[in-house]
Amino acid sequence: MMNIFRHSNLTAADLDELQLIMKTIRLEKQDYFIREGNVCRQLAFLSKGILRSFYVKDNGEEITDCIMFEGQLVTAYSSLITGQPAFEHIQAITDCELQVLDRDDLYGLYERNIRWANTGRTFGEQEFVLMEQRIRSFQQYTAKERYEEMVLKHPHMIQQVPLQYLASYLGITPQHLSRLRRN
């Protein structure tokens, strides 16, 4: 978990303070970190496993919009910030272990320590950039190009994430993904 802070200005004492208020939770495969309609009150660091964020369309179709791996932050970000119900589910694809921080504790860190406030701002900025890149990929690239980019940047996704989740994440059908993989 501490690798996520390697480029921050946090001190050893800052990280010790974090360790004191975090708790470890484990999710089994298919368990939920958050369900749509619930308010997200936690931020987590994924220590082990793979999670996916998805929403359900009116027709019941699940759309995977994010896949999270070890070392990444996990939260229903809009819900965490606004206190409004989450529009997405976050579910374990594999057994997972997370280091969890309650929202109130997070905001307490921000109020007491400018280094934590700056780190929080930096994480928020990184999330914005990732979202912008994802939107741009759907606007500028074909499904084949998005798949090739994913293979290049995240080869572990291909082997560990079920085909239907990968296809949904890429915005294509499982059949189309199977054709791309064969070629």
Side-chain angles (χ1 to χ4, degrees):
M1 175 195 60
M2 294 309 154
N3 283 341
I4 202 163
F5 299 114
R6 69 182 169 274
H7 298 297
S8 72
N9 291 324
L10 296 172
T11 66
D14 296 336
L15 297 174
D16 289 344
E17 181 180 10
L18 178 67
Q19 291 288 5
L20 291 173
I21 57 178
M22 293 189 88
K23 62 182 177 192
T24 300
I25 65 168
R26 289 174 178 74
L27 299 176
E28 293 182 13
K29 182 178 179 179
Q30 302 299 318
D31 284 351
Y32 288 84
F33 178 71
I34 185 79
R35 287 182 182 263
E36 175 187 11
N38 294 334
V39 175
C40 184
R41 300 190 192 286
Q42 297 177 316
L43 172 75
F45 303 95
L46 184 56
S47 313
K48 289 183 183 177
I50 304 170
L51 295 162
R52 74 177 180 126
S53 172
F54 69 99
Y55 61 93
V56 181
K57 292 173 62 172
D58 290 340
N59 66 4
E61 180 185 4
E62 293 180 0
I63 304 296
T64 298
D65 61 356
C66 187
I67 300 173
M68 295 153 273
F69 293 92
E70 293 174 13
Q72 290 184 294
L73 286 174
V74 176
T75 193
Y77 204 50
S78 293
S79 178
L80 182 77
I81 292 169
T82 65
Q84 298 296 310
F87 65 86
E88 74 262 53
H89 300 276
I90 299 179
Q91 182 182 40
I93 293 176
T94 64
D95 290 347
C96 295
E97 182 176 291
L98 299 104
Q99 305 303 313
V100 178
L101 180 63
D102 288 327
R103 183 187 188 280
D104 292 342
D105 290 332
L106 174 66
Y107 280 81
L109 288 173
Y110 291 168
E111 289 173 17
R112 290 189 305 275
N113 185 323
I114 189 67
R115 290 181 302 276
W116 276 116
N118 287 338
T119 299
R121 186 194 74 240
T122 299
F123 283 139
E125 290 168 350
Q126 290 169 351
E127 288 300 310
F128 175 81
V129 169
L130 290 172
M131 180 181 62
E132 190 176 61
Q133 289 171 344
R134 179 124 168 91
I135 292 167
R136 188 176 304 119
S137 76
F138 275 90
Q139 293 173 334
Q140 292 182 330
Y141 303 114
T142 65
K144 181 180 182 205
E145 290 168 328
R146 287 193 306 276
Y147 174 73
E148 290 169 349
E149 177 82 6
M150 185 179 64
V151 170
L152 196 68
K153 288 187 173 179
H154 306 287
H156 50 286
M157 286 177 87
I158 306 304
Q159 290 135 10
Q160 298 180 38
V161 177
L163 182 74
Q164 73 267 21
Y165 300 159
L166 286 176
S168 176
Y169 179 74
L170 291 168
I172 58 178
T173 64
Q175 295 79 11
H176 190 182
L177 179 56
S178 291
R179 283 192 297 277
L180 289 175
R181 291 173 85 170
R182 274 196 305 273
N183 297 333

